[in-house]
Amino acid sequence: MPIPLQPTDALLVIDVQNDFCPAVNGIGGALAVKDGDQVVPIINAFAQKFDHFILTQDWHPAGHLSFATTHSRQPYEVIAAPS
């Protein structure tokens, strides 16, 4: 059963970036995820149903632990991060 939306409800979309989409016409693709662009039309459809639509983008400073170049590992290789 659908949950009715209230005027105070918001759609929160976290960290959807061109970098995660396959490169098209030279845009996107630096960290492409297979079919990563498939989520965009779904998000756009959901956004039409909400009065409030919030987008966030994750960001890390140069030299951050999340970059493979800071720990001599391959991209997407799993490492243990300090707590």
Side-chain angles (χ1 to χ4, degrees):
M1 174 180 355
I3 299 171
L5 295 176
Q6 304 299 315
T8 54
D9 290 339
L11 177 63
L12 177 60
V13 179
I14 300 172
D15 207 25
V16 175
Q17 300 179 38
N18 284 335
D19 266 354
F20 302 143
C21 297
V24 176
N25 297 326
I27 298 173
L31 298 170
V33 175
K34 183 180 184 300
D35 300 323
D37 54 339
Q38 299 294 315
V39 70
V40 175
I42 297 166
I43 292 169
N44 289 341
F46 273 119
Q48 299 300 313
K49 301 176 185 299
F50 285 81
D51 291 333
H52 308 284
F53 179 62
I54 303 161
L55 299 170
T56 70
Q57 182 175 346
D58 196 12
W59 177 86
H60 303 289
H64 190 270
L65 176 67
S66 63
F67 299 126
T69 56
T70 64
H71 45 72
S72 303
R73 301 290 178 95
Q74 294 299 309
Y76 306 107
E77 187 175 344
V78 177
I79 63 166
S83 54

